[in-house]
């Protein structure tokens, strides 16, 4: 359920960045949100806990937007479900 | 008074490359890496550990129970350095000798052990030596007690710059007449489950090995060990007939004031410039780089070196010995100081091991994979810490000490 994933991803970003969720849209980029690489690590930590997945280190540099994260998480969840 | 020249009259080192300076030199010359499996349950499988280390080889049971691994490494390195220097600690000299050590985590594994007992093993109390084992100054204190040294002693903790800062402070003290001798360096023992999980979460450790300046680099490799130097005024060293292995000819510090983990080329350049303030930069033939092998550090350091050296950057050799002994965090500055001194002393350039492919963003002569005969007369050793705290030491070889 991509829509559900998006809502949970936005909630994780809002909570780790101490940011009002209303500022974050499904189309937001890290640049627009002022998220740097250290913030990205913290968001990945939040996502791993929220979705109970392991995000590989080398995928982090490719995650530059909410949409990137949602796509990545859906892929990880599908791989987990299919395992 | 005028600033005194400062000689290095002894050094010692224990690391993944061996238990003493001779083994360390051999590995550097052969380009042999000490990186291998560590056996802890974290995402990254490899590290640069002091293999088959048994405290009983160096300490009696009672001492071994009181002294954490990080402090043990400093004590072992100090013993080698002092023996090499042949210095005799008279009562007057003991009172005028400084001890300055660096460590990032101190005895963090002692805390980890205690908390494992408390939170996981259901024990109601922790080892009563947890505090004396953990404190970051334990290495300085134990070295002082062992040799009866009563001068100024303290410990610097600035993450990955700790022992570069420590050596620099000790150099300033001897140079400025505030100490007649200094024992200085640092040590680190980062291998405990809790601390490794913290590094895992930072996502800066390579899943295979450390490939500084290589286009396919994937991060750092954690290492452990310690190194110590004996510093004396050059005149005093000559007067007692000591062998002068190198001189410290400059030290620079700076802060990025930029970001808690991302490096800034401007800050790194400022530290190098400060170290070179009184020295012709054309004489620098080698730089032992901070060279962590992370995507962020190596291009930033390259940019900084180019900014400081201009055209001369094309004539320098720059290598990261972390590719062999790992990133020893608070011990890095001291261990790499010994690598730099050995390069000047024995006329070789230690290689950057595990190098696969040139990166246009790291376009320096990084001495890929194979050490090279060369005779640099002066060299820099860089350490750039998380938190943006930078340190650069400038060493000259024995040929300039005459």
């Amino acid at each position: 359920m991509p829509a559900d994933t998006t809502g949970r991803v936005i909630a994780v970003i809002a909570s780790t960045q101490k940011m009002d969720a209303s500022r974050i849209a499904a189309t937001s980029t890290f640049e627009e949100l002022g998220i740097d690489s250290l913030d990205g690590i913290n968001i990945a930590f939040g996502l791993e806990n929220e979705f109970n997945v392991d995000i590989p280190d080398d995928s982090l540099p490719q995650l530059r937007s909410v949409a990137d994260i949602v796509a990545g998480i859906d892929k990880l969840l599908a791989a987990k479900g299919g395992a | 008074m005028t600033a005194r020249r400062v000689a290095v009259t002894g050094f010692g080192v224990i690391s993944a490359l061996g238990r003493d300076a001779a083994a360390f030199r051999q590995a550097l010359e052969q380009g042999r890496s000490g990186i291998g499996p560590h056996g802890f349950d974290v995402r990254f499988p490899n590290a640069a550990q002091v293999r088959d280390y048994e405290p009983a080889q160096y300490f009696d049971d009672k001492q071994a129970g009181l002294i954490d691994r990080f402090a043990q490494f400093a004590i072992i390195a100090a013993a080698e350095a002092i023996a090499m220097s042949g210095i005799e600690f008279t009562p007057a000299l003991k009172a005028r000798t400084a001890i300055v050590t660096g460590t990032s985590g101190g005895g963090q594994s002692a805390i980890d052990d205690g908390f494992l007992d408390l939170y996981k093993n259901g024990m109601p109390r922790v080892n009563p030596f947890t505090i004396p084992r953990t404190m970051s100054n334990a290495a300085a204190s134990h070295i002082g007690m062992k040799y009866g040294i009563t001068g100024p002693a303290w410990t610097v903790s600035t993450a990955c710059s700790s022992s570069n800062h420590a050596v620099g402070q000790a150099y300033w003290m001897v140079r400025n007449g505030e100490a007649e001798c200094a024992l200085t360096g640092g040590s680190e023992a980062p291998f405990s489950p809790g601390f490794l999980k913290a590094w895992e979460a930072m996502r800066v450790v390579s899943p295979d090995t450390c490939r500084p300046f290589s286009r396919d680099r994937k991060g750092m490799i954690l290492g452990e060990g310690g190194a110590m130097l004996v510093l004396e005024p050059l005149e005093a060293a000559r007067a007692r007939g000591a062998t002068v292995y190198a001189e410290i000819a400059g030290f620079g510090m700076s802060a990025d004031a930029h970001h808690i983990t991302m490096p800034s080329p401007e800050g790194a350049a400022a530290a190098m410039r400060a170290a070179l303030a009184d020295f012709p930069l054309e004489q620098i033939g080698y730089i032992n780089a901070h060279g962590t092998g992370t995507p962020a550090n190596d291009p930033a350091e390259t940019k900084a070196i180019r900014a400081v050296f201009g055209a001369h950057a094309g004539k320098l050799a720059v290598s990261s010995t972390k590719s062999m002994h790992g990133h020893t965090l608070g011990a890095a500055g001291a261990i790499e100081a010994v690598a730099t001194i050995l390069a000047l002393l024995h006329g070789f350039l230690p290689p950057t091991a595990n190098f696969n492919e040139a990166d246009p963003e790291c376009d320096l002569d990084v001495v890929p994979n194979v050490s090279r005969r060369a005779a640099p007369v002066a060299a820099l050793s860089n350490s750039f810490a998380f938190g943006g705290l930078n340190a650069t030491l400038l060493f000259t070889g024995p040929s300039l000490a005459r």
Side-chain angles (χ1 to χ4, degrees):
Chain A
M1 295 279 282
D4 182 38
T5 307
T6 303
R8 288 164 71 190
V9 165
I10 288 173
V12 166
I13 296 172
S15 122
T16 53
Q17 295 306 107
K18 312 297 176 208
M19 184 184 276
D20 197 314
S22 65
R23 281 188 52 203
I24 310 166
T27 53
S28 299
T29 65
F30 280 15
E31 201 180 346
E32 289 161 6
L33 299 172
I35 292 170
D36 70 13
S37 63
L38 184 63
D39 296 329
I41 291 166
N42 199 23
I43 291 167
F45 168 72
L47 293 168
E48 287 183 331
N49 286 333
E50 170 68 20
F51 292 97
N52 192 27
V53 291
D54 276 323
I55 301 173
D57 288 356
D58 57 8
S59 67
L60 241 63
Q62 282 110 59
L63 302 179
R64 305 298 312 148
S65 67
V66 174
D68 290 345
I69 295 177
V70 171
I73 291 289
D74 280 337
K75 218 160 122 183
L76 286 171
L77 289 175
K80 214 168 87 169
Chain B
M1 68 181 291
T2 55
R4 305 189 292 186
R5 289 170 68 177
V6 178
V8 179
T9 56
F11 52 88
V13 58
I14 176 167
S15 75
L17 300 181
R19 306 285 180 88
D20 58 26
F24 187 66
R25 173 192 166 189
Q26 192 179 52
L28 294 179
E29 287 200 282
Q30 294 173 349
R32 181 164 49 77
S33 168
I35 296 168
H38 55 59
F40 288 91
D41 183 20
V42 285
R43 264 188 201 131
F44 52 88
N46 297 318
Q49 293 172 295
V50 181
R51 306 268 164 201
D52 307 316
Y53 175 78
E54 292 295 338
Q57 295 163 328
Y58 300 92
F59 300 93
D60 68 35
D61 286 352
K62 199 172 171 204
Q63 279 182 311
L66 182 61
I67 308 174
D68 184 85
R69 188 173 172 105
F70 98 93
Q72 292 180 17
F73 289 155
I75 295 166
I76 292 165
E80 184 185 10
I82 290 167
M84 182 190 278
S85 75
I87 197 163
E88 189 199 336
F89 287 113
T90 61
L93 185 59
K94 284 176 180 177
R96 296 279 293 141
T97 294
I99 304 174
V100 191
T101 60
T103 185
S104 179
Q108 54 77 29
S109 64
I111 300 185
D112 211 53
D113 289 348
F115 290 177
L116 197 68
D117 281 348
L118 201 60
Y119 300 139
K120 188 173 178 193
N121 300 335
M123 290 170 66
R125 57 187 72 84
V126 302
N127 187 312
F129 295 151
T130 302
I131 296 298
R133 284 170 61 103
T134 299
M135 43 194 215
S136 290
N137 61 304
S141 297
H142 283 291
I143 291 167
M145 286 185 282
K146 184 173 170 185
Y147 299 98
I149 289 164
T150 55
W154 86 101
T155 298
V156 181
S157 187
T158 46
C160 306
S161 292
S162 301
S163 59
N164 195 316
H165 278 151
V167 173
Q169 299 296 319
Y171 157 65
W172 278 344
M173 289 190 79
V174 174
R175 186 189 69 162
N176 297 343
E178 287 161 44
E180 290 306 316
C181 175
L183 306 177
T184 183
S187 64
E188 199 76 50
F191 297 103
S192 70
F195 201 49
L196 292 180
K197 289 303 281 186
W199 279 105
E200 177 187 84
M202 262 316 292
R203 297 176 184 267
V204 290
V205 182
S206 167
D208 53 6
T209 192
C210 177
R211 306 183 191 282
F213 305 112
S214 185
R215 197 178 174 117
D216 58 349
R217 68 189 178 279
K218 288 183 177 155
M220 55 187 259
I221 285 287
L222 289 165
E224 65 176 351
M228 293 292 292
L229 310 178
V230 178
L231 308 184
E232 298 174 67
L234 182 67
E235 292 306 318
R238 281 175 175 155
R240 73 175 182 88
T243 303
V244 173
Y245 296 102
E247 258 186 277
I248 304 183
F251 171 58
M253 304 169 71
S254 73
D256 290 350
H258 166 63
H259 189 277
I260 197 69
T261 56
M262 291 302 287
S264 133
E266 291 75 23
M272 284 187 270
R273 283 195 187 103
L276 287 162
D278 305 317
F279 198 82
L281 57 83
E282 302 76 26
Q283 286 195 23
I284 302 294
Y286 172 61
I287 300 177
N288 188 296
H290 185 53
T292 53
T294 59
N297 175 81
D298 300 357
E301 189 166 6
T302 302
K303 209 177 274 181
I305 290 169
R306 289 212 167 272
V308 171
F309 285 93
H312 188 65
K315 298 175 190 161
L316 288 165
V318 179
S319 73
S320 170
T321 51
K322 285 186 176 77
S323 57
M324 293 174 274
H325 53 64
H327 190 348
T328 58
L329 310 174
I335 290 177
E336 292 158 29
V338 173
T340 307
I341 291 166
L342 287 168
L344 294 169
L345 190 58
H346 298 291
F348 73 101
L349 302 171
T352 300
N354 310 314
F355 186 90
N356 282 332
E357 194 187 343
D359 180 346
E361 286 195 282
C362 307
D363 58 343
L364 296 164
D365 172 8
V366 300
V367 197
N369 298 320
V370 183
S371 72
R372 212 181 289 160
R373 300 313 303 178
V377 295
L380 298 184
S381 180
N382 283 338
S383 298
F384 308 134
F386 271 173
L389 307 189
N390 310 300
T392 299
L393 285 162
L394 163 56
F395 293 92
T396 57
S399 64
L400 289 189
R402 290 189 190 111

